[in-house]
């Protein structure tokens, strides 16, 4: 499995993150974690992994904003009567949310799994100004890629060092601590998603 990721390299990471950000529910965050751990093992530079993931997130979100949100979504709602009635109830609320809380929604949406692949086209449908969307999207994409990438990088490095120095049991202990930490983070994200 490692050889597959090392052979196909960073373009695969870029494609998965970009497509997820565009609106296709793919495991972009998981791909970032895998490549960050591979960087910890010396296969890649963590700087390149973070940069490629951030670029994929920003480009994918901008494609989703324009193609699905601004151009495609509005045209689709206006095309069919039953969708137009639905949009008359939903779009004004979306526009108000994007007007008042658009920056926060776009930034923090990068860290919440469902919003990670829907917030861009919601911003486009909600007529959020593109320059404002671009700023918060770029900031969120860079912070997300750096935070997730560095946690996975240093976590993978700590596990590998523990196995090398203290044996398999110490490595299993580090992995268990990482899993507990990741589970706590996941529960926190899930709680935040439920509140939204």
């Amino acid at each position: 499995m490692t050889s597959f990721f090392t052979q196909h390299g960073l373009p695969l990471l870029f494609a998965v993150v970009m497509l997820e950000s565009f609106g296709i529910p793919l495991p972009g965050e998981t791909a970032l974690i895998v490549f960050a751990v591979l960087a910890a093992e010396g296969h890649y530079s963590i700087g390149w992994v973070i940069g490629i993931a951030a670029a994929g997130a920003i480009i994918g979100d901008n494609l989703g904003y324009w193609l699905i949100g601004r151009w495609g979504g509005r045209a689709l709602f206006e095309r069919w009567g039953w969708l137009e009635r639905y949009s008359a109830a939903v779009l004004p609320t979306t526009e108000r949310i994007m007007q008042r809380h658009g920056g926060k929604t776009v930034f923090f949406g990068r860290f919440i799994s469902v919003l990670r692949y829907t917030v861009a086209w919601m911003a486009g449908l909600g007529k959020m100004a593109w320059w404002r969307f671009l700023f918060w999207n770029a900031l969120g994409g860079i912070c997300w890629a750096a935070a997730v990438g560095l946690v996975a990088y240093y976590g993978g490095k700590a596990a590998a060092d523990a196995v090398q120095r203290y044996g398999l049991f110490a490595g299993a202990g580090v992995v268990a601590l990482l899993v507990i930490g990741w589970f706590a983070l996941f529960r926190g994200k899930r709680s935040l998603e439920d509140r939204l």
Side-chain angles (χ1 to χ4, degrees):
M1 193 66 146
T2 304
S3 64
F4 175 79
F5 287 114
T6 54
Q7 284 174 2
H8 293 88
L10 297 176
L12 178 63
L13 172 64
F14 177 82
V16 170
V17 171
M18 184 190 71
L19 289 172
E20 180 193 39
S21 301
F22 174 69
I24 301 170
L26 291 173
E29 190 168 71
T30 304
L32 173 56
I33 291 167
V34 167
F35 277 89
V37 170
L38 287 173
E41 294 174 356
H43 296 288
Y44 297 108
S45 158
I46 188 61
W48 276 105
V49 169
I50 290 170
I52 294 290
I58 294 165
I59 291 169
D61 276 338
N62 275 277
L63 288 171
Y65 173 90
W66 285 108
L67 297 178
I68 297 175
R70 268 294 171 85
W71 297 328
R74 289 245 169 218
L76 186 66
F77 280 131
E78 292 165 3
R79 185 173 214 173
W80 291 306
W82 65 275
L83 272 179
E84 194 169 10
R85 286 190 300 276
Y86 175 74
S87 70
V90 172
L91 287 182
T93 306
T94 305
E95 289 171 6
R96 275 196 308 277
I97 289 171
M98 285 300 155
Q99 200 62 250
R100 299 175 97 191
H101 306 290
K104 290 178 277 194
T105 305
V106 169
F107 179 83
F108 289 112
R110 172 59 36 197
F111 294 89
I112 300 170
S113 60
V114 174
L115 289 179
R116 193 165 32 254
Y117 55 86
T118 59
V119 75
W121 51 264
M122 284 172 42
L125 278 170
K127 294 184 178 176
M128 183 178 183
W130 177 75
W131 61 267
R132 192 166 161 243
F133 169 79
L134 179 63
F135 173 78
W136 289 108
N137 169 247
L139 187 62
I142 292 166
C143 290
W144 169 78
V148 173
L150 289 174
V151 166
Y153 176 78
Y154 287 112
K157 201 168 184 63
D161 289 347
V163 168
Q164 190 174 26
R165 282 190 191 147
Y166 305 110
L168 195 56
F169 291 114
V174 170
V175 168
L177 286 173
L178 289 172
V179 168
I180 290 168
W182 188 256
F183 181 72
L185 182 65
F186 177 77
R187 293 280 295 170
K189 283 172 55 175
R190 178 72 67 161
S191 171
L192 185 60
E193 288 172 7
D194 290 344
R195 278 189 244 153
L196 293 174

